[in-house]
Amino acid sequence: MKLLVCLRAFRSHFRSWGLILLVVATAWLLSACTIGRGEVSATIYVAPVKGAPLVYLHPKDPERYRLATVGVLPFQVPPNHGPTQGAALAGLVRDVLLAKEVFPRVLQLSEVYGGFAEAIALGRRAGVDLVLAGRLHRALDATELGGARAEMSIRLINVETGNTVWHIAQAIDQPMDHHNVGAWRRIRESFSPPVIRPSRGAPPLPNMLATIVADMAIVMTGTKVVPR
């Protein structure tokens, strides 16, 4: 009788260990492909999420300004950015407006302004029809896990009347690539070497700023839909 009880206990114990071994073997087999390939991170670059341009003011007849000349002032930037970055962003806006053929003549002005009244005075002095006053609200570069953000706004002001012709704002965010810490992921990683995260390549922030400027230029041509 005692022998029969021992045999049953042994068989039950063996089944439990057999189930555990089966789970371990399955996990090892699933991770074998990873080990053989020398796994690298599946997410090399986290794609930014672009918000639609917000058009606060626009002319009823955009064609009225198609032949206007524009002066682009240095962008106002956050305190942690230098004045050279404001000038560089103004140069980018000038180049994009010319490339998109939004206006026939676009000048980059070098004078820094305080308020809109001063911006209008600088535009009149330069002999342009419209002056572009822009502000870079946020410009955060990414880490290895992403997290870049760009946000800016522009105003095109008629230097003769002092009225704002265009007022546009836009932002782009790059989501964070958070590591998966689920139970199955941890079991799988226990049987495989650490994931190799390759270089994330060029910083995404310059491309994000260029995308915003291009979208704003498209809006000023009268197009109601910009590429996603």
Side-chain angles (χ1 to χ4, degrees):
M1 187 68 178
K2 291 183 179 180
L3 179 61
L4 182 59
V5 172
C6 291
L7 288 175
R8 287 178 178 175
F10 176 78
R11 184 162 51 186
S12 176
H13 186 69
F14 178 78
R15 286 176 180 174
S16 299
W17 275 102
L19 181 60
I20 294 173
L21 290 174
L22 178 60
V23 172
V24 171
T26 302
W28 182 83
L29 288 173
L30 290 176
S31 63
C33 296
T34 298
I35 296 173
R37 288 195 306 266
E39 181 185 2
V40 298
S41 174
T43 305
I44 298 177
Y45 178 74
V46 183
V49 178
K50 182 175 70 171
L54 299 177
V55 182
Y56 298 105
L57 291 173
H58 64 87
K60 293 182 178 179
D61 182 16
E63 291 297 325
R64 175 185 174 186
Y65 296 95
R66 289 291 290 167
L67 299 179
T69 58
V70 178
V72 183
L73 294 168
F75 270 61
Q76 294 180 340
V77 296
N80 59 330
H81 292 69
T84 56
Q85 292 173 302
L89 189 52
L92 173 64
V93 172
R94 177 205 59 194
D95 294 342
V96 172
L97 291 179
L98 289 173
K100 298 288 185 182
E101 298 182 346
V102 183
F103 302 103
R105 185 165 176 259
V106 183
L107 306 177
Q108 182 177 355
L109 308 181
S110 59
E111 295 87 350
V112 178
Y113 68 99
F116 293 135
E118 190 175 353
I120 293 171
L122 292 173
R124 289 174 180 169
R125 187 186 307 170
V128 296
D129 302 314
L130 304 174
V131 64
L132 191 150
R135 177 182 291 274
L136 181 63
H137 300 279
R138 291 182 182 84
L140 303 176
D141 208 351
T143 66
E144 292 184 357
L145 300 178
R149 177 175 174 80
E151 181 181 358
M152 60 183 287
S153 64
I154 61 169
R155 284 180 181 265
L156 264 79
I157 306 173
N158 188 322
V159 300
E160 181 179 352
T161 64
N163 295 329
T164 297
V165 178
W166 287 100
H167 182 195
I168 311 172
Q170 190 176 5
I172 298 180
D173 287 297
Q174 184 189 38
M176 295 290 291
D177 178 22
H178 293 292
H179 184 64
N180 184 354
V181 293
W184 174 247
R185 177 78 177 192
R186 284 180 289 177
I187 293 174
R188 181 171 174 267
E189 288 182 347
S190 66
F191 292 95
S192 60
V195 175
I196 301 172
R197 184 176 290 274
S199 172
R200 61 185 174 93
L205 183 58
N207 286 335
M208 293 165 68
L209 293 173
T211 299
I212 291 176
V213 174
D215 283 355
M216 291 181 172
I218 292 174
V219 169
M220 284 186 283
T221 63
T223 303
K224 296 182 178 180
V225 179
V226 298
R228 296 184 64 88

